[in-house]
Amino acid sequence: MDHQALKDLLPLAAIGKLDPDEERALTEHLRDRCDACEGELRGFRETAAALALAGDDIGRDSEARIWNRLRARLDASTSENESAPIARSDRPAAPRPHARRWQIATGVSTAAALAAAIYAGVIMRSSAFQRDQLASLADRVSASRAELAAARNETAALKQVLVERAHLERTLMAPDLQITRLQALDLAPGASAMVAVSRSAHSAVLQANAMPPTPAGKTYEIWWITKETGPVAAGLFQAGAGREVIARAEPPPAGHVILAAVTLEPAGGVSKPTGAMYLKGEPAH
Amino acid sequence: MVTPAEPSDRNLLAAMVRGDTGALRSLNARYGGRLAALANRFLGDQADAEEVAADVLWQAWRQAASFDPERGSVASWLVTIARSRSLDRLRARQARRAPAIAEADSEPVADPAAALDEAHRGRMVRRAIDGLEANQRVVLEMAYFSDLSHAEIAEKLSMPLGTVKTRVRSAMINLRQALGGQRE
């Protein structure tokens, strides 16, 4: 494999998707200290990490539950260490009986004094630290409040996109996935679309690009057209300029579906198509 | 992204090497929820996903000293472990259950600054992902967030194997260019 071919493997290596032969070849190449490829691979790993961590909100409850699990492991690990037998050479020599009581008394008072000093120090440091933290937090809260409101709105919108995308992915990964590609008609030049259907998951999702923005007072409506019943309404969606559309739809009804289509209809949708057709496609049988 | 007042991820790992459990807690606050969300995309089970996130952070706690910054950032290290553990768990139970993808939850966030950081970072990356061509994005997400091989994706999408690989590769290259210089 030449150097360019090995370099082409790096993006796939970063997401762990190499075939065994490819993986072997790349591992050997990296073992020969190709700094350029090492650097590239590092960059693609960061890209994969960004992809992995993008978009999902941190659930505070989830974070707290994870911390509880970690704390339990820390506690278990601490008590394991405490109950572990001390190696013979590390054991202190046993005090002689007549000196033992005095040693205990001295030890107790020293330990108490030490504990009191440490406690006082910890409390003082901890209070000062907490005051600083509170002041800093209060500043950040007041400076951030307005921005937060905007961020929440945007997060809600993103969340909706994520929900729809997750639904699309779930449909795409269903074992009985069927994809119907829709052709753009004259009213939607340059548009492309597909409908993914899984009957077992009872789900269908339309994904479309470059649809003309939905005019005011209108909606796009998805249709399944069967031989037996004619057009059956399957869902509504709106399109914005330059935006990808991912919209849930009803799966095809029973019967022989001969066509999937998208028309422009009055807002709220209609039970039978009345407007112009923008997209259409024949399902694979 | 880390605000100037907060310790960097690497500083947190250094503190963890010294046995500072507060640093582990901070690392959990920074990544725990998102690692669980990532695991949830593979596993579709919140409790399993949280267990994976705890496993990842526990591994980080025990192996913080062996972290090699030459190989990448702390985030990419954690993500690599999380993905690998999620796939292990998924494969272990695949015979019993089909993979599912969790939908984003709607729990409120408590820390406004963290929420802003999150929203900002999420926006940037999401924008970059949205900027990919749809055919690249769908293939990349299927490749990354599932246990499907390229051949299986090709079969599902009725696409030649070479096209799947080319699209995944192009998507990664385009995403990397779009994200250029945003991470540590």
Side-chain angles (χ1 to χ4, degrees):
Chain A
M1 210 178 276
D2 65 20
H3 192 244
Q4 185 55 48
L6 289 161
K7 228 177 138 189
D8 286 346
L9 297 178
L10 296 171
L12 307 180
I15 59 167
K17 288 286 176 184
L18 290 185
D19 298 336
D21 288 350
E22 294 171 334
E23 190 156 7
R24 211 169 300 120
L26 185 60
T27 305
E28 273 173 26
H29 177 61
L30 295 175
R31 205 181 291 137
D32 293 343
R33 308 283 320 158
C34 177
D35 290 343
C37 285
E38 278 282 5
E40 282 280 290
L41 181 58
R42 205 161 42 235
F44 281 119
R45 284 198 186 116
E46 298 308 322
T47 304
L51 172 68
L53 296 176
D56 290 294
D57 271 351
I58 295 175
R60 291 285 150 182
D61 287 351
S62 171
E63 181 190 312
R65 284 193 296 271
I66 295 165
W67 176 242
N68 286 341
R69 289 171 198 263
L70 289 169
R71 204 170 44 190
R73 293 181 196 194
L74 285 169
D75 290 347
S77 155
T78 305
S79 57
E80 255 173 43
N81 290 340
E82 280 171 356
S83 63
I86 301 169
R88 187 174 295 276
S89 60
D90 294 339
R91 281 178 201 266
R96 283 168 296 163
H98 67 269
R100 191 176 175 83
R101 191 171 302 158
W102 173 244
Q103 281 182 341
I104 290 171
T106 310
V108 167
S109 62
T110 307
L114 196 59
I118 291 170
Y119 182 71
V122 168
I123 292 292
M124 282 176 65
R125 272 204 307 277
S126 158
S127 303
F129 177 68
Q130 283 174 348
R131 267 200 308 278
D132 287 351
Q133 271 203 322
L134 278 174
S136 152
L137 197 59
D139 286 349
R140 284 161 69 186
V141 168
S142 73
S144 303
R145 197 161 280 156
E147 257 188 282
L148 178 62
R152 274 193 175 136
N153 288 339
E154 191 159 358
T155 302
L158 281 171
K159 219 176 264 179
Q160 189 54 36
V161 171
L162 278 176
V163 166
E164 297 303 336
R165 184 161 290 160
H167 188 73
L168 172 64
E169 285 173 13
R170 192 160 44 228
T171 308
L172 285 173
M173 287 179 203
D176 62 339
L177 167 71
Q178 279 193 320
I179 290 182
T180 300
R181 295 186 191 285
L182 304 184
Q183 292 175 329
L185 302 180
D186 291 347
L187 289 168
S192 64
M194 66 160 193
V195 188
V197 174
S198 164
R199 286 184 186 271
S200 67
H202 194 72
S203 70
V205 187
L206 174 136
Q207 188 245 349
N209 282 292
M211 284 295 286
T214 319
K218 297 281 188 180
T219 182
Y220 285 113
E221 188 154 7
I222 308 164
W223 303 94
W224 295 113
I225 300 164
T226 73
K227 235 177 190 172
E228 296 82 0
T229 55
V232 177
L236 307 175
F237 67 89
Q238 302 288 314
R243 271 176 35 200
E244 178 195 18
V245 172
I246 298 178
R248 291 192 200 206
E250 290 296 321
H256 184 66
V257 178
I258 50 174
L259 205 64
V262 170
T263 60
L264 187 67
E265 303 294 349
V270 290
S271 59
K272 292 290 170 195
T274 59
M277 194 180 286
Y278 281 63
L279 301 167
K280 72 168 184 181
E282 289 174 24
H285 291 292
Chain B
M1 179 183 309
V2 177
T3 60
E6 293 172 331
S8 70
D9 292 348
R10 279 168 68 175
N11 287 344
L12 288 179
L13 282 198
M16 282 160 57
V17 172
R18 296 193 299 271
D20 181 351
T21 55
L24 175 61
R25 188 167 197 169
S26 298
L27 200 69
N28 175 48
R30 201 170 285 171
Y31 290 108
R34 284 186 293 150
L35 291 172
L38 169 63
N40 205 3
R41 292 191 75 167
F42 289 95
L43 300 169
D45 181 303
Q46 183 73 15
D48 272 5
E50 287 169 6
E51 186 68 22
V52 166
D55 286 347
V56 174
L57 292 165
W58 185 243
Q59 186 171 338
W61 168 254
R62 298 177 73 97
Q63 297 177 356
S66 66
F67 169 71
D68 179 5
E70 290 295 308
R71 287 178 58 82
S73 66
V74 174
S76 106
W77 184 49
L78 296 175
V79 161
T80 303
I81 302 171
R83 186 166 179 273
S84 157
R85 282 182 175 266
S86 300
L87 286 173
D88 287 347
R89 205 170 264 249
L90 185 65
R91 286 167 192 154
R93 72 172 196 211
Q94 212 150 31
R96 287 179 285 127
R97 200 161 144 186
I101 299 164
E103 296 180 354
D105 64 30
S106 56
E107 291 174 8
V109 287
D111 179 347
L116 280 174
D117 277 353
E118 273 315 297
H120 179 62
R121 178 171 43 227
R123 272 201 303 276
M124 284 196 302
V125 181
R126 184 51 61 187
R127 205 172 291 144
I129 295 170
D130 284 343
L132 295 175
E133 285 175 27
N135 56 24
Q136 287 180 8
R137 187 178 53 244
V138 167
V139 173
L140 176 63
E141 290 189 336
M142 283 180 88
Y144 190 74
F145 293 111
S146 82
D147 196 18
L148 296 173
S149 66
H150 285 143
E152 288 167 322
I153 294 170
E155 195 184 324
K156 270 187 179 292
L157 297 180
S158 309
M159 215 178 254
L161 176 60
T163 306
V164 170
K165 287 188 176 184
T166 304
R167 286 187 182 173
V168 173
R169 186 183 301 120
S170 305
M172 283 292 285
I173 292 169
N174 292 338
L175 194 56
R176 185 179 170 195
Q177 280 168 356
L179 292 172
Q182 286 178 8
R183 300 189 73 81
E184 67 174 34

